[in-house]
Each structure stands twice: as structure tokens, then as C-alpha cells.
């Protein structure tokens, strides 16, 4: 079987001592920062991104992937223990997980979250391995028009899944696209929007933008109200769930995995949506829905499986099409570009060891998380007592080093400050930064494919609707837009996000 | 006429989009636009900038219709001290070298919190500098000078 020889190659790559080490470091760093409240997975990766640039491409991406699910895991830990979700996708876990902890079942809740995540991770790793190759071969037939339409679908969906006003999210995408165009025009060599600063001729540094908009802006938001963290940390005991608890989580874990895997592929925010969808489903099918909100086991197991599955399957569009499904994947694409790899369907054929190595490392990373983190929970809990005012000077120092080390260009550091300010301003004005980052990554690609498609069609814009795949993709984009603007859906959407806040 | 109620959050957001869109539009207009067949460097950005201005206008109009949440507290002190931190590093890393530059960066950022005392800030900055020098220069081997020409090295 092709699948097995591919996976064997992947595991051979991922299991080399160096890659195992970097996977381990990534998972640990990710958990470490994920546990610290106020810094989500995206900010974590943005900050740690530069550290990985000194490594080989494979090791670097394996480490980044490790940071990603490590951060997810860390986020759930704090959600359960102190009712403070380290990131938005574990906000649901906090609802019932924290109640379990208050009833003295913190250990069981953590173990259930870990088991659910690991199972979901295993299944979805296989899903990635099964679905990535056929998608790749479809993607290889894509021309410029199809790519343009595909990116439009991605951008439109990211709007649908953002918080708050749709118009504002749309504006953020457009702003991101424009910012992505700063730099030298590839066709004519004309510098654009650089204000005459030569250092920006290669475009705004992706890492600087990500660190500014996510990292710095998040620090500023945390500095708004410096409340003391009243972390009433429950003592963790009895790590192993009882037999009946184990039996009770089988169905929620399976359902969560299925929901998460399906939603993770959607652009925009797979993992977050997945955990909410799973919670809603569990509450609806449960025989005792009144338990939800008071420590229902299914309310932890389902969403945790769903968000992990979603996190994994969001790699599918990134690996096969080079289209990011969420900001974290946008960061991964940025990392690939800096490593000199052109993201897209060619990665699987040209760099099979990289492609399958990443897939295999996901499973290894999940295994490490289960083995390492359950015993290490005590250590993570201690970390929560580190005061915030000690943390952010450290974070700023590391961000500065990291951004500077990418190109050795001081102007990238000035860009961090500028985008920190912009990012913070936009957050204050209730604009989501995620669509902006997606736009920023896709901006140059979108323009390039649009211009190429128009040249090939000799200036006839109907090419986008006469080529069947492109037409279908554009129809999907229009459908998504129409649906989010429907009054009933709009109300529902607001309800979902209000619940989340 | 209705009394003029104005939602600050959306009002500012709308204005910001219009200003940024205006900046890109003016800049793009100065570039070669080309035709739809052979687009010049200004074509696509101009289209986007016009869309951004349009969306900004819609947000601005919405601001006069419905009022939403208030702006909330603004981290002025944080902005004043966190944002300059990377700039300090950028300005001094070549001249002063890695060690003093990073120390300054961490020190500046430390004071963003009202809880920070001078002694604590010095300790945190020193610890960060030592740790980062060991990790980035010794272990990862980044090609930075520990001390720069401004200090006579």
C-alpha cells in the first residue's frame, strides 16, 4: 500500500533522534506558554517562530507543529484547573472541566482531556494521511483562475467564522491583502507603498507583522487591567478516571473526533468552532442535559477531542493547497516560505520526507503530550504563580531577538512596534486580527494569480466563471457570503460568539 | 432629525479604514495602473483600497445607527513602554552589541507594569540577558556581537 510506505517514510523522518528532540522541545515550549494565561497558541507560535529558523526545514516545521498542539494542550490544562482558558478553543472545556475540578475531580478531568485529545489526534493524523494525497493530485491541475477562486473561498470563510461585525472582518481581510502587497511588484519591479524606505523593498516581514499584531497587541491588552490572579489552584489527585467515567466518554470522544475532523478543514477557525459544535451536540444528545455546566464528563471529553481533531485536520488545506485554514497555519506557511519551500501541492511530491515527516510527527507529538504532561501537571500548575509583570519583559526581549534574527534588519523591529500599535488599536475597535493575517499571507498570491489568469485569458474576466472548478469555488464563496448575511444566521452567529465570551 | 448618537468604537474603526484605504489609494494611483488585460502594479491595490474605503464608510454609517460596547480602558502606559522596546533593540543592537542592547530592551519593557519596582526590573532584565546570551549566542550560535563598536569593541 502506498499509504503505508508513505507513513513509514514519515515515521522514519520524524523518529530520527534530532527530530524527536525538536518535537519534544516544541511540545514542551508550547505547553509552557499555553499554560500561561493571556497568551494564545497564535501568539505563542508567532513569538517562537524565529527560534526555529536556524534548524533544517523538516525539524523546524516539526517543532512548530509541536508548539501548536502543545499550546492547545496547555490551554486546556489552565481551563480545567483555574477556569482560565489559555486560548479560545479551550473556552468550552473550562465550562465543565472547572466544575469537575471544583468537585475534586481535577485529575480525572485532565486525564479525560488527554485521552480524548490523543484518540482524536490519532484518528485525524490518519485522516490527513489518507486525504492529503488525492487532494494534492486535484490541486496539481489547478490553474491561476482556480487558485484565485480558491483563495477567495478561504478569505470569505475566514470572515464567516470571525467574531463580531461581518463588514469589519471583510475590511480586515482587505487591509491584510493591501499590507501583503507592500514591497516590490514582481512583474514590473516597481516598489510599492514602501514610503521610499529601501529596507521594506522585500515586503513587510511576515514574522514582524505576526508578532506585532498577535504578540504585542495581546501583551498590551493584558496590561489594561492588572488584576492579581486569584488562582485558587485545586489540588490534583486521582489522575485516573473511574471505569464508568471511561465508559461514559467513549461516545462523546468518537462524536467529537468526527465533528472536529470535518470542521477543521474549513478555513477560518476550525478548532474553535469544532469545540463549540461538539459541546452543543453533546448537550443535545445527552440523557441528562442538566448536568452540563456542572461538571459533565461528556462536556470535557467531546470538545477536547473535537478541538484536537480540528487542529490536526486544519493541516490538510495547508499541506495540499498551500492555503492556510487559520492564523496558525498562516504562520506555518510563513515559516515554509522563509525556509525556501514553496507551499502548495508540489510539497508532497518534491519533499515527501518533509510532507510525511510532519504528518507522522503529529502523532508522535500527541503521544509525547500524553506521556509527559500527565506527570508534569504539578510543574505547569507552579508556572501559573509566576506574576505577569515578570513575563512580558521576557516575552518582549525574545520577540525582539527572534524578529531581528530572521533578516538582521532593524526596520523589521520598527515594524513590530508599528503593527503592535495597529493590532492593539484594531482589537480595541473590535476588529478581529485573524482575517488580517490571512489576507496578509494571501495578498501577493492572490494578486499574482489574478494577473496571471487575466493575461492568459487576454483580459477576459469571464475565465473565472467559465472554468468549472473555478466557477464552483466562486459559487461556494458567494453562498457563504449570502448565508452569513441572512438575518437568521446572523442572529444565531451572534449568540454563539456571545456564549463564547 | 434624530439626535446625534455616535458609537465611538465603530466610528473610529470606520475612520481608520477610510484613512488607511485613502493612503493606499493615493499611493496606488501614482503607480502605473495598466489595463485589466495587463495589470500594472497599481491596478489591484487601487481596487482593494477603494473597497476598503467603501467598507469603512459602511462601518461609519452603522456607527450613527446603533451604539455598541464602549471602548474600555486603554493601556497608555503599556503602549508608551512596550512599543518602544523593539525599537530600542533595533536602534542599539548593532552599535552597543547584543548584551547591553537586550538588557535595555527588557528594562524598558519592564516598566510597562505599575507593579514593577526598579530592583525587580534590573533583576529581570539581567536574568533575561544572561539566559538569552547563553541560548541564542552560545547554544544556537546566532551571529551577533556581544558588545558593539560604540563601547569600543
Amino acid at each position: 500500500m502506498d499509504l503505508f510506505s508513505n507513513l513509514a517514510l514519515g515515521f522514519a523522518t520524524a523518529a530520527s533522534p534530532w527530530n524527536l528532540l525538536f518535537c519534544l522541545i516544541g511540545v514542551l515550549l508550547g505547553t509552557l506558554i499555553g499554560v500561561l494565561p493571556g497568551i494564545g497558541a497564535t501568539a505563542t507560535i508567532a513569538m517562537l517562530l524565529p527560534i526555529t529558523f536556524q534548524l533544517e526545514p523538516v525539524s523546524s516545521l516539526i517543532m512548530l507543529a509541536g508548539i501548536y498542539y502543545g499550546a492547545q494542550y496547555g490551554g486546556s490544562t489552565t481551563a480545567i484547573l483555574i477556569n482560565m482558558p489559555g486560548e479560545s478553543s479551550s473556552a468550552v472545556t473550562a465550562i465543565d472541566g472547572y466544575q469537575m475540578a471544583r468537585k475534586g475531580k481535577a485529575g480525572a478531568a485532565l486525564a479525560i482531556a488527554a485521552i480524548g485529545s490523543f484518540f482524536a489526534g490519532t484518528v485525524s493524523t490518519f485522516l490527513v494521511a489518507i486525504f492529503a494525497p488525492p487532494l494534492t493530485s486535484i490541486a496539481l491541475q489547478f490553474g491561476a483562475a482556480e487558485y484565485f477562486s480558491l483563495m477567495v473561498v478561504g478569505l470569505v470563510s475566514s470572515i464567516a467564522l470571525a467574531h463580531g461585525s461581518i463588514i469589519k472582518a471583510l475590511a480586515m481581510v482587505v487591509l491584510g491583502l493591501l499590507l501583503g502587497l507592500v514591497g516590490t511588484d514582481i512583474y514590473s519591479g516597481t516598489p510599492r507603498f514602501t514610503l521610499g524606505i529601501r529596507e521594506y523593498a522585500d515586503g513587510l516581514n511576515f514574522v514582524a507583522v505576526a508578532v506585532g499584531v498577535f504578540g504585542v497587541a495581546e501583551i498590551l491588552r493584558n496590561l489594561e487591567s492588572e488584576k492579581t490572579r486569584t488562582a485558587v489552584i485545586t489540588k490534583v489527585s486521582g489522575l485516573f478516571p473511574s471505569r464508568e467515567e471511561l465508559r461514559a466518554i467513549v461516545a462523546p470522544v468518537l462524536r467529537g473526533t468526527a465533528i472536529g475532523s470535518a470542521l477543521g478543514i474549513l478555513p477560518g477557525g476550525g478548532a474553535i468552532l469544532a469545540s463549540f459544535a461538539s459541546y452543543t451536540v453533546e448537550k443535545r444528545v445527552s440523557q441528562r442535559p442538566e448536568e452540563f455546566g456542572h461538571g459533565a464528563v461528556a462536556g470535557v471529553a467531546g470538545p477536547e477531542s473535537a478541538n484536537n481533531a480540528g487542529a490536526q485536520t486544519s493541516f490538510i488545506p495547508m499541506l495540499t493547497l498551500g492555503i492556510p485554514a487559520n492564523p496558525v497555519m498562516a504562520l506555518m506557511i510563513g515559516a515554509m516560505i522563509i525556509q525556501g519551500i514553496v507551499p502548495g501541492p508540489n510539497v508532497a511530491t518534491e519533499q515527501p520526507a518533509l510532507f510525511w515527516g510532519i504528518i507522522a510527527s503529529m502523532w508522535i507529538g500527541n503521544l509525547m503530550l500524553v506521556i509527559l504532561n500527565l506527570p508534569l501537571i504539578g510543574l505547569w500548575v507552579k508556572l501559573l504563580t509566576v506574576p505577569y509583570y515578570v513575563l512580558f519583559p521576557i516575552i518582549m526581549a525574545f520577540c525582539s531577538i527572534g524578529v531581528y534574527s530572521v533578516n538582521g534588519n532593524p526596520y523589521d523591529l520598527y515594524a513590530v512596534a508599528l503593527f503592535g500599535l495597529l493590532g492593539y488599536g484594531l482589537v480595541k475597535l473590535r476588529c478581529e486580527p485573524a482575517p488580517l493575517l490571512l489576507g496578509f499571507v494571501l495578498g501577493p498570491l492572490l494578486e499574482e494569480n489574478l494577473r496571471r489568469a487575466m493575461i492568459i485569458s487576454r483580459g477576459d474576466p469571464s475565465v473565472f466563471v467559465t472554468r468549472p472548478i473555478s466557477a464552483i469555488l466562486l459559487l461556494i464563496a458567494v453562498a457563504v457570503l449570502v448565508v452569513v448575511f441572512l438575518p437568521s444566521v446572523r442572529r444565531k452567529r451572534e449568540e454563539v460568539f456571545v456564549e463564547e465570551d | 432629525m434624530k439626535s446625534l448618537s455616535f458609537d465611538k468604537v465603530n466610528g473610529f474603526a470606520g475612520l481608520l479604514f477610510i484613512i488607511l484605504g485613502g493612503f493606499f489609494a493615493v499611493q496606488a494611483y501614482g503607480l502605473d495602473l495598466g489595463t485589466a488585460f495587463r495589470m500594472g502594479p497599481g491596478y489591484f491595490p487601487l481596487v482593494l483600497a477603494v473597497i476598503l474605503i467603501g467598507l469603512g464608510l459602511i462601518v461609519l454609517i452603522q456607527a450613527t445607527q446603533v451604539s455598541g460596547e464602549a471602548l474600555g480602558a486603554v493601556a497608555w502606559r503599556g503602549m508608551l513602554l512596550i512599543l518602544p522596546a523593539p525599537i530600542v533593540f533595533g536602534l542599539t543592537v548593532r552599535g552597543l552589541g547584543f548584551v547591553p542592547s537586550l538588557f535595555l530592551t527588557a528594562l524598558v519593557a519592564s516598566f510597562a507594569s505599575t507593579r514593577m519596582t526598579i530592583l525587580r526590573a534590573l533583576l529581570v532584565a539581567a536574568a533575561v540577558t544572561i539566559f538569552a546570551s547563553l541560548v541564542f549566542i552560545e547554544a544556537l550560535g546566532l551571529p551577533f556581537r556581544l558588545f558593539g563598536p560604540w563601547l569600543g569593541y
Side-chain angles (χ1 to χ4, degrees), chain B residues 65-149:
Chain B
Q65 311 280 316
V66 266
S67 57
E69 288 171 83
L71 199 58
V74 178
W76 294 112
R77 185 190 170 105
M79 277 176 11
L80 209 66
L81 289 156
I82 287 289
L83 296 177
I87 298 179
V88 166
F89 191 71
L91 289 174
T92 59
V93 67
R94 284 191 191 157
L96 286 176
F98 184 82
V99 170
S101 176
L102 190 69
F103 182 78
L104 275 178
T105 305
L107 198 65
V108 170
S110 299
F111 289 108
S113 168
T114 45
R115 290 158 186 276
M116 190 56 99
T117 61
I118 293 176
L119 186 67
R120 274 182 191 157
L122 288 170
L123 275 176
V124 170
V128 171
T129 310
I130 293 167
F131 180 75
S133 306
L134 289 176
V135 170
F136 289 96
I137 312 279
E138 294 296 318
L140 287 172
L142 294 191
F144 294 149
R145 298 168 79 158
L146 288 177
F147 295 93

Side-chain angles (χ1 to χ4, degrees), chain A residues 87-155:
Chain A
E87 42 149 348
S88 43
S89 63
S90 43
V92 192
T93 312
I95 306 172
D96 278 288
Y98 181 61
Q99 293 304 323
M100 281 185 76
R102 282 184 59 183
K103 287 180 183 163
K105 291 197 286 187
L110 288 167
I112 286 169
I115 295 166
S117 296
F118 179 66
F119 176 79
T122 308
V123 172
S124 51
T125 300
F126 274 100
L127 286 178
V128 176
I130 293 166
F131 284 110
L135 259 176
T136 307
S137 54
I138 295 173
L140 279 172
Q141 296 163 8
F142 277 23
E146 282 80 10
Y147 261 110
F148 175 83
S149 306
L150 180 68
M151 282 181 250
V152 172
V153 175
L155 291 170

Side-chain angles (χ1 to χ4, degrees), chain A residues 307-323:
Chain A
N307 87 39
N308 209 33
Q312 307 273 59
T313 52
S314 60
F315 277 84
I316 293 178
M318 195 277 280
L319 284 171
T320 55
L321 307 169
I323 303 287

Side-chain angles (χ1 to χ4, degrees), chain A residues 193-383:
Chain A
F193 317 115
T194 57
L195 301 173
I197 300 169
R198 255 214 330 255
E199 279 79 359
Y200 292 138
D202 289 335
L204 295 166
N205 183 322
F206 169 76
V207 181
V209 173
V211 165
V213 170
F214 283 97
V216 177
E218 218 159 306
I219 290 178
L220 288 173
R221 218 170 40 175
N222 281 312
L223 282 170
E224 274 170 15
S225 54
E226 285 190 78
K227 279 175 281 179
T228 17
R229 279 210 299 271
T230 44
V232 191
I233 296 158
T234 28
K235 237 183 117 187
V236 181
S237 56
L239 218 46
F240 287 97
S242 66
R243 188 168 293 210
E244 65 194 276
E245 277 168 339
L246 279 180
R247 204 170 303 135
I249 66 168
V250 173
V253 165
L254 287 174
R255 280 193 292 264
T257 306
I259 293 169
S261 306
L263 291 178
I265 307 174
L266 286 184
I272 304 168
L273 193 71
S275 54
F276 276 93
S278 163
Y279 191 79
T280 317
V281 167
E282 289 313 322
K283 201 168 169 180
R284 200 155 290 166
V285 300
S286 170
Q287 276 147 9
R288 289 184 301 273
E290 68 279 0
E291 269 184 20
F292 280 76
H294 303 284
V297 181
V300 176
E304 274 300 297
S305 317
N307 87 39
N308 209 33
Q312 307 273 59
T313 52
S314 60
F315 277 84
I316 293 178
M318 195 277 280
L319 284 171
T320 55
L321 307 169
I323 303 287
N326 56 41
V328 174
M329 290 305 126
L331 289 165
M332 299 286 269
I333 288 195
M336 280 183 155
I337 293 172
I338 291 172
Q339 292 277 8
I341 302 162
V342 182
N346 290 324
V347 174
T349 44
E350 283 167 13
Q351 312 239 14
L354 173 91
F355 184 85
W356 292 100
I358 295 173
I359 293 178
S361 83
M362 293 178 194
W363 188 79
I364 295 178
N366 274 297
L367 184 67
M368 284 180 177
L369 279 170
V370 171
I371 298 174
L372 285 175
N373 282 349
L374 286 179
L376 283 180
I377 280 170
L379 181 70
W380 302 138
V381 170
K382 275 227 177 60
L383 260 178

Side-chain angles (χ1 to χ4, degrees), chain A residues 144-145 147-148 151 444-454:
Chain A
Y147 261 110
F148 175 83
M151 282 181 250
L445 292 169
L446 194 70
E447 186 192 28
E448 195 187 326
N449 283 297
L450 172 67
R451 282 160 87 170
R452 196 183 295 155
M454 291 301 275

Side-chain angles (χ1 to χ4, degrees), chain A residues 54 168 171 174 185 192 220 224 226 389 392 398 404 408 410 413-414 417 424 428 430 447 450-451 458-459, chain B residues 10 37 39 41 44-45 48 52 70-71 73 75 78-79 83 90-91 94 109 113-116 120 136 142 144:
Chain A
Q54 318 300 324
K168 279 194 201 163
V174 177
D185 172 45
R192 294 191 289 183
L220 288 173
E224 274 170 15
E226 285 190 78
Y389 60 77
F392 65 81
F398 281 91
Y404 185 68
L413 290 161
Y414 311 149
Y424 180 61
K428 288 305 295 178
R430 312 261 183 279
E447 186 192 28
L450 172 67
R451 282 160 87 170
R458 318 210 113 259
Chain B
N10 273 338
F37 173 19
M39 294 181 192
F44 188 56
L48 288 178
L52 186 60
L71 199 58
M79 277 176 11
L83 296 177
L91 289 174
R94 284 191 191 157
S113 168
T114 45
R115 290 158 186 276
M116 190 56 99
R120 274 182 191 157
F136 289 96
L142 294 191
F144 294 149

